PDB file of all heavy atoms in Angstrom:
ATOM      1  N   PHE A   1      72.738  90.531 137.787  1.00  0.00           N
ATOM      2  CA  PHE A   1      72.676  89.160 138.243  1.00  0.00           C
ATOM      3  C   PHE A   1      73.380  88.935 139.593  1.00  0.00           C
ATOM      4  O   PHE A   1      72.879  88.250 140.473  1.00  0.00           O
ATOM      5  CB  PHE A   1      73.253  88.204 137.238  1.00  0.00           C
ATOM      6  CG  PHE A   1      73.111  86.815 137.518  1.00  0.00           C
ATOM      7  CD1 PHE A   1      71.945  86.158 137.523  1.00  0.00           C
ATOM      8  CD2 PHE A   1      74.257  86.058 137.940  1.00  0.00           C
ATOM      9  CE1 PHE A   1      71.860  84.753 137.855  1.00  0.00           C
ATOM     10  CE2 PHE A   1      74.270  84.670 138.228  1.00  0.00           C
ATOM     11  CZ  PHE A   1      73.030  84.055 138.171  1.00  0.00           C
ATOM     12  N   LEU A   2      74.571  89.556 139.657  1.00  0.00           N
ATOM     13  CA  LEU A   2      75.272  89.457 140.924  1.00  0.00           C
ATOM     14  C   LEU A   2      74.875  90.462 142.005  1.00  0.00           C
ATOM     15  O   LEU A   2      75.500  90.531 143.054  1.00  0.00           O
ATOM     16  CB  LEU A   2      76.771  89.600 140.681  1.00  0.00           C
ATOM     17  CG  LEU A   2      77.437  88.534 139.762  1.00  0.00           C
ATOM     18  CD1 LEU A   2      78.873  88.867 139.479  1.00  0.00           C
ATOM     19  CD2 LEU A   2      77.238  87.153 140.374  1.00  0.00           C
ATOM     20  N   ALA A   3      73.876  91.306 141.717  1.00  0.00           N
ATOM     21  CA  ALA A   3      73.383  92.295 142.660  1.00  0.00           C
ATOM     22  C   ALA A   3      74.431  93.255 143.020  1.00  0.00           C
ATOM     23  O   ALA A   3      74.449  93.732 144.232  1.00  0.00           O
ATOM     24  CB  ALA A   3      72.716  91.642 143.860  1.00  0.00           C
ATOM     25  N   ARG A   4      75.309  93.551 142.147  1.00  0.00           N
ATOM     26  CA  ARG A   4      76.319  94.572 142.322  1.00  0.00           C
ATOM     27  C   ARG A   4      75.731  95.949 142.191  1.00  0.00           C
ATOM     28  O   ARG A   4      74.754  96.124 141.318  1.00  0.00           O
ATOM     29  CB  ARG A   4      77.467  94.368 141.321  1.00  0.00           C
ATOM     30  CG  ARG A   4      78.194  93.058 141.361  1.00  0.00           C
ATOM     31  CD  ARG A   4      79.015  92.758 142.618  1.00  0.00           C
ATOM     32  NE  ARG A   4      80.016  93.760 142.781  1.00  0.00           N
ATOM     33  CZ  ARG A   4      81.290  93.511 142.697  1.00  0.00           C
ATOM     34  NH1 ARG A   4      81.669  92.241 142.443  1.00  0.00           N
ATOM     35  NH2 ARG A   4      82.180  94.454 142.856  1.00  0.00           N
ATOM     36  N   LYS A   5      76.249  96.920 142.848  1.00  0.00           N
ATOM     37  CA  LYS A   5      75.777  98.287 142.859  1.00  0.00           C
ATOM     38  C   LYS A   5      76.741  99.233 142.130  1.00  0.00           C
ATOM     39  O   LYS A   5      76.824 100.378 142.473  1.00  0.00           O
ATOM     40  CB  LYS A   5      75.390  98.796 144.200  1.00  0.00           C
ATOM     41  CG  LYS A   5      74.471  97.922 144.951  1.00  0.00           C
ATOM     42  CD  LYS A   5      73.059  97.935 144.296  1.00  0.00           C
ATOM     43  CE  LYS A   5      72.084  97.078 145.070  1.00  0.00           C
ATOM     44  NZ  LYS A   5      70.879  96.773 144.319  1.00  0.00           N
ATOM     45  N   GLU A   6      77.428  98.723 141.144  1.00  0.00           N
ATOM     46  CA  GLU A   6      78.419  99.515 140.432  1.00  0.00           C
ATOM     47  C   GLU A   6      77.845 100.217 139.209  1.00  0.00           C
ATOM     48  O   GLU A   6      78.138  99.964 138.075  1.00  0.00           O
ATOM     49  CB  GLU A   6      79.623  98.624 140.016  1.00  0.00           C
ATOM     50  CG  GLU A   6      80.276  98.013 141.200  1.00  0.00           C
ATOM     51  CD  GLU A   6      81.423  97.027 140.853  1.00  0.00           C
ATOM     52  OE1 GLU A   6      81.845  97.140 139.773  1.00  0.00           O
ATOM     53  OE2 GLU A   6      81.818  96.256 141.693  1.00  0.00           O
ATOM     54  N   LYS A   7      76.987 101.234 139.528  1.00  0.00           N
ATOM     55  CA  LYS A   7      76.303 101.980 138.529  1.00  0.00           C
ATOM     56  C   LYS A   7      77.312 102.773 137.594  1.00  0.00           C
ATOM     57  O   LYS A   7      77.027 102.924 136.464  1.00  0.00           O
ATOM     58  CB  LYS A   7      75.318 102.950 139.127  1.00  0.00           C
ATOM     59  CG  LYS A   7      74.132 102.152 139.747  1.00  0.00           C
ATOM     60  CD  LYS A   7      73.083 103.156 140.291  1.00  0.00           C
ATOM     61  CE  LYS A   7      72.021 102.277 140.915  1.00  0.00           C
ATOM     62  NZ  LYS A   7      70.818 103.082 141.203  1.00  0.00           N
ATOM     63  N   TRP A   8      78.459 103.178 138.166  1.00  0.00           N
ATOM     64  CA  TRP A   8      79.421 103.872 137.316  1.00  0.00           C
ATOM     65  C   TRP A   8      79.917 103.021 136.200  1.00  0.00           C
ATOM     66  O   TRP A   8      80.117 103.446 135.113  1.00  0.00           O
ATOM     67  CB  TRP A   8      80.566 104.397 138.202  1.00  0.00           C
ATOM     68  CG  TRP A   8      81.297 103.237 138.804  1.00  0.00           C
ATOM     69  CD1 TRP A   8      81.159 102.588 140.005  1.00  0.00           C
ATOM     70  CD2 TRP A   8      82.430 102.527 138.252  1.00  0.00           C
ATOM     71  NE1 TRP A   8      82.021 101.576 140.199  1.00  0.00           N
ATOM     72  CE2 TRP A   8      82.782 101.499 139.105  1.00  0.00           C
ATOM     73  CE3 TRP A   8      83.177 102.634 137.021  1.00  0.00           C
ATOM     74  CZ2 TRP A   8      83.877 100.591 138.873  1.00  0.00           C
ATOM     75  CZ3 TRP A   8      84.216 101.782 136.794  1.00  0.00           C
ATOM     76  CH2 TRP A   8      84.528 100.750 137.660  1.00  0.00           C
ATOM     77  N   LEU A   9      80.022 101.699 136.435  1.00  0.00           N
ATOM     78  CA  LEU A   9      80.545 100.708 135.477  1.00  0.00           C
ATOM     79  C   LEU A   9      79.567 100.611 134.418  1.00  0.00           C
ATOM     80  O   LEU A   9      79.851 100.726 133.193  1.00  0.00           O
ATOM     81  CB  LEU A   9      80.945  99.412 136.104  1.00  0.00           C
ATOM     82  CG  LEU A   9      81.353  98.293 135.094  1.00  0.00           C
ATOM     83  CD1 LEU A   9      82.625  98.711 134.420  1.00  0.00           C
ATOM     84  CD2 LEU A   9      81.519  96.987 135.850  1.00  0.00           C
ATOM     85  N   VAL A  10      78.273 100.420 134.739  1.00  0.00           N
ATOM     86  CA  VAL A  10      77.223 100.234 133.797  1.00  0.00           C
ATOM     87  C   VAL A  10      77.049 101.506 132.911  1.00  0.00           C
ATOM     88  O   VAL A  10      76.968 101.413 131.736  1.00  0.00           O
ATOM     89  CB  VAL A  10      75.910  99.783 134.445  1.00  0.00           C
ATOM     90  CG1 VAL A  10      74.807  99.729 133.420  1.00  0.00           C
ATOM     91  CG2 VAL A  10      76.097  98.445 135.216  1.00  0.00           C
ATOM     92  N   LEU A  11      77.046 102.617 133.588  1.00  0.00           N
ATOM     93  CA  LEU A  11      76.947 103.880 132.873  1.00  0.00           C
ATOM     94  C   LEU A  11      78.078 104.014 131.900  1.00  0.00           C
ATOM     95  O   LEU A  11      77.904 104.484 130.784  1.00  0.00           O
ATOM     96  CB  LEU A  11      76.783 105.041 133.873  1.00  0.00           C
ATOM     97  CG  LEU A  11      76.677 106.404 133.195  1.00  0.00           C
ATOM     98  CD1 LEU A  11      75.374 106.527 132.402  1.00  0.00           C
ATOM     99  CD2 LEU A  11      76.694 107.546 134.301  1.00  0.00           C
ATOM    100  N   SER A  12      79.295 103.786 132.376  1.00  0.00           N
ATOM    101  CA  SER A  12      80.471 103.921 131.493  1.00  0.00           C
ATOM    102  C   SER A  12      80.426 103.054 130.223  1.00  0.00           C
ATOM    103  O   SER A  12      80.746 103.552 129.113  1.00  0.00           O
ATOM    104  CB  SER A  12      81.753 103.549 132.311  1.00  0.00           C
ATOM    105  OG  SER A  12      81.918 104.383 133.420  1.00  0.00           O
ATOM    106  N   VAL A  13      79.967 101.726 130.357  1.00  0.00           N
ATOM    107  CA  VAL A  13      79.953 100.939 129.192  1.00  0.00           C
ATOM    108  C   VAL A  13      78.808 101.403 128.306  1.00  0.00           C
ATOM    109  O   VAL A  13      78.922 101.250 127.046  1.00  0.00           O
ATOM    110  CB  VAL A  13      79.840  99.433 129.493  1.00  0.00           C
ATOM    111  CG1 VAL A  13      81.097  98.983 130.202  1.00  0.00           C
ATOM    112  CG2 VAL A  13      78.645  99.072 130.335  1.00  0.00           C
ATOM    113  N   TYR A  14      77.719 101.893 128.787  1.00  0.00           N
ATOM    114  CA  TYR A  14      76.660 102.399 127.884  1.00  0.00           C
ATOM    115  C   TYR A  14      77.080 103.627 127.140  1.00  0.00           C
ATOM    116  O   TYR A  14      76.751 103.835 126.018  1.00  0.00           O
ATOM    117  CB  TYR A  14      75.317 102.725 128.707  1.00  0.00           C
ATOM    118  CG  TYR A  14      74.485 101.532 128.835  1.00  0.00           C
ATOM    119  CD1 TYR A  14      74.456 100.752 129.949  1.00  0.00           C
ATOM    120  CD2 TYR A  14      73.632 101.187 127.844  1.00  0.00           C
ATOM    121  CE1 TYR A  14      73.607  99.673 130.134  1.00  0.00           C
ATOM    122  CE2 TYR A  14      72.775 100.096 127.969  1.00  0.00           C
ATOM    123  CZ  TYR A  14      72.828  99.352 129.112  1.00  0.00           C
ATOM    124  OH  TYR A  14      71.996  98.234 129.219  1.00  0.00           O
ATOM    125  N   VAL A  15      77.916 104.500 127.840  1.00  0.00           N
ATOM    126  CA  VAL A  15      78.405 105.704 127.093  1.00  0.00           C
ATOM    127  C   VAL A  15      79.357 105.244 126.000  1.00  0.00           C
ATOM    128  O   VAL A  15      79.314 105.683 124.821  1.00  0.00           O
ATOM    129  CB  VAL A  15      79.116 106.632 128.140  1.00  0.00           C
ATOM    130  CG1 VAL A  15      79.929 107.654 127.359  1.00  0.00           C
ATOM    131  CG2 VAL A  15      78.103 107.281 129.032  1.00  0.00           C
ATOM    132  N   LEU A  16      80.255 104.272 126.310  1.00  0.00           N
ATOM    133  CA  LEU A  16      81.116 103.758 125.235  1.00  0.00           C
ATOM    134  C   LEU A  16      80.374 103.109 124.153  1.00  0.00           C
ATOM    135  O   LEU A  16      80.691 103.337 122.998  1.00  0.00           O
ATOM    136  CB  LEU A  16      82.145 102.735 125.888  1.00  0.00           C
ATOM    137  CG  LEU A  16      83.373 103.316 126.540  1.00  0.00           C
ATOM    138  CD1 LEU A  16      84.128 102.206 127.330  1.00  0.00           C
ATOM    139  CD2 LEU A  16      84.233 104.028 125.533  1.00  0.00           C
ATOM    140  N   GLY A  17      79.359 102.345 124.511  1.00  0.00           N
ATOM    141  CA  GLY A  17      78.583 101.721 123.524  1.00  0.00           C
ATOM    142  C   GLY A  17      77.917 102.688 122.584  1.00  0.00           C
ATOM    143  O   GLY A  17      77.860 102.507 121.359  1.00  0.00           O
ATOM    144  N   ALA A  18      77.313 103.765 123.197  1.00  0.00           N
ATOM    145  CA  ALA A  18      76.692 104.816 122.355  1.00  0.00           C
ATOM    146  C   ALA A  18      77.626 105.497 121.459  1.00  0.00           C
ATOM    147  O   ALA A  18      77.340 105.702 120.165  1.00  0.00           O
ATOM    148  CB  ALA A  18      76.090 105.852 123.290  1.00  0.00           C
ATOM    149  N   PHE A  19      78.921 105.666 121.919  1.00  0.00           N
ATOM    150  CA  PHE A  19      79.929 106.358 121.067  1.00  0.00           C
ATOM    151  C   PHE A  19      80.261 105.378 119.844  1.00  0.00           C
ATOM    152  O   PHE A  19      80.271 105.861 118.729  1.00  0.00           O
ATOM    153  CB  PHE A  19      81.275 106.590 121.899  1.00  0.00           C
ATOM    154  CG  PHE A  19      82.371 106.904 121.007  1.00  0.00           C
ATOM    155  CD1 PHE A  19      82.510 108.184 120.506  1.00  0.00           C
ATOM    156  CD2 PHE A  19      83.383 106.000 120.763  1.00  0.00           C
ATOM    157  CE1 PHE A  19      83.537 108.541 119.791  1.00  0.00           C
ATOM    158  CE2 PHE A  19      84.453 106.301 119.981  1.00  0.00           C
ATOM    159  CZ  PHE A  19      84.641 107.592 119.456  1.00  0.00           C
ATOM    160  N   PHE A  20      80.422 104.115 120.104  1.00  0.00           N
ATOM    161  CA  PHE A  20      80.775 103.182 119.013  1.00  0.00           C
ATOM    162  C   PHE A  20      79.569 102.989 118.101  1.00  0.00           C
ATOM    163  O   PHE A  20      79.760 102.816 116.945  1.00  0.00           O
ATOM    164  CB  PHE A  20      81.293 101.932 119.567  1.00  0.00           C
ATOM    165  CG  PHE A  20      82.744 101.973 120.086  1.00  0.00           C
ATOM    166  CD1 PHE A  20      83.002 101.894 121.381  1.00  0.00           C
ATOM    167  CD2 PHE A  20      83.758 102.254 119.164  1.00  0.00           C
ATOM    168  CE1 PHE A  20      84.371 102.036 121.829  1.00  0.00           C
ATOM    169  CE2 PHE A  20      85.090 102.440 119.565  1.00  0.00           C
ATOM    170  CZ  PHE A  20      85.398 102.219 120.907  1.00  0.00           C
ATOM    171  N   LEU A  21      78.380 103.016 118.581  1.00  0.00           N
ATOM    172  CA  LEU A  21      77.194 102.895 117.712  1.00  0.00           C
ATOM    173  C   LEU A  21      77.094 104.084 116.785  1.00  0.00           C
ATOM    174  O   LEU A  21      76.841 103.898 115.603  1.00  0.00           O
ATOM    175  CB  LEU A  21      75.867 102.885 118.545  1.00  0.00           C
ATOM    176  CG  LEU A  21      75.593 101.460 119.161  1.00  0.00           C
ATOM    177  CD1 LEU A  21      74.335 101.610 120.138  1.00  0.00           C
ATOM    178  CD2 LEU A  21      75.254 100.392 118.096  1.00  0.00           C
ATOM    179  N   ILE A  22      77.371 105.259 117.237  1.00  0.00           N
ATOM    180  CA  ILE A  22      77.373 106.451 116.411  1.00  0.00           C
ATOM    181  C   ILE A  22      78.559 106.284 115.444  1.00  0.00           C
ATOM    182  O   ILE A  22      78.335 106.584 114.185  1.00  0.00           O
ATOM    183  CB  ILE A  22      77.521 107.734 117.257  1.00  0.00           C
ATOM    184  CG1 ILE A  22      76.281 107.945 118.027  1.00  0.00           C
ATOM    185  CG2 ILE A  22      77.838 108.954 116.326  1.00  0.00           C
ATOM    186  CD1 ILE A  22      76.408 109.020 119.139  1.00  0.00           C
ATOM    187  N   ALA A  23      79.748 105.927 115.816  1.00  0.00           N
ATOM    188  CA  ALA A  23      80.881 105.781 114.935  1.00  0.00           C
ATOM    189  C   ALA A  23      80.592 104.663 113.884  1.00  0.00           C
ATOM    190  O   ALA A  23      81.153 104.793 112.769  1.00  0.00           O
ATOM    191  CB  ALA A  23      82.160 105.420 115.817  1.00  0.00           C
ATOM    192  N   ASN A  24      79.844 103.685 114.264  1.00  0.00           N
ATOM    193  CA  ASN A  24      79.539 102.603 113.364  1.00  0.00           C
ATOM    194  C   ASN A  24      78.962 103.064 112.022  1.00  0.00           C
ATOM    195  O   ASN A  24      79.298 102.523 110.995  1.00  0.00           O
ATOM    196  CB  ASN A  24      78.620 101.593 114.035  1.00  0.00           C
ATOM    197  CG  ASN A  24      78.343 100.354 113.194  1.00  0.00           C
ATOM    198  OD1 ASN A  24      79.253  99.872 112.457  1.00  0.00           O
ATOM    199  ND2 ASN A  24      77.145  99.846 113.334  1.00  0.00           N
ATOM    200  N   PHE A  25      78.114 104.084 112.116  1.00  0.00           N
ATOM    201  CA  PHE A  25      77.472 104.572 110.873  1.00  0.00           C
ATOM    202  C   PHE A  25      78.059 105.825 110.241  1.00  0.00           C
ATOM    203  O   PHE A  25      77.483 106.375 109.339  1.00  0.00           O
ATOM    204  CB  PHE A  25      75.952 104.845 111.199  1.00  0.00           C
ATOM    205  CG  PHE A  25      75.231 103.497 111.326  1.00  0.00           C
ATOM    206  CD1 PHE A  25      75.032 102.969 112.663  1.00  0.00           C
ATOM    207  CD2 PHE A  25      74.831 102.757 110.274  1.00  0.00           C
ATOM    208  CE1 PHE A  25      74.360 101.785 112.837  1.00  0.00           C
ATOM    209  CE2 PHE A  25      74.150 101.535 110.427  1.00  0.00           C
ATOM    210  CZ  PHE A  25      73.956 101.081 111.722  1.00  0.00           C
TER     211      PHE A  25
END
């Protein structure tokens, strides 16, 4: 939305999210 180009941040939160999704089950 803010047209930021911080792909490292987005990638990092997706990796963390994937880790917690796996841990969830």
Side-chain angles (χ1 to χ4, degrees):
F1 181 73
L2 297 177
R4 302 289 301 247
K5 302 294 183 199
E6 298 177 17
K7 292 184 180 189
W8 65 270
L9 175 64
V10 174
L11 179 62
S12 298
V13 295
Y14 273 98
V15 168
L16 277 171
F19 169 76
F20 284 112
L21 281 172
I22 292 166
N24 184 37
F25 288 99

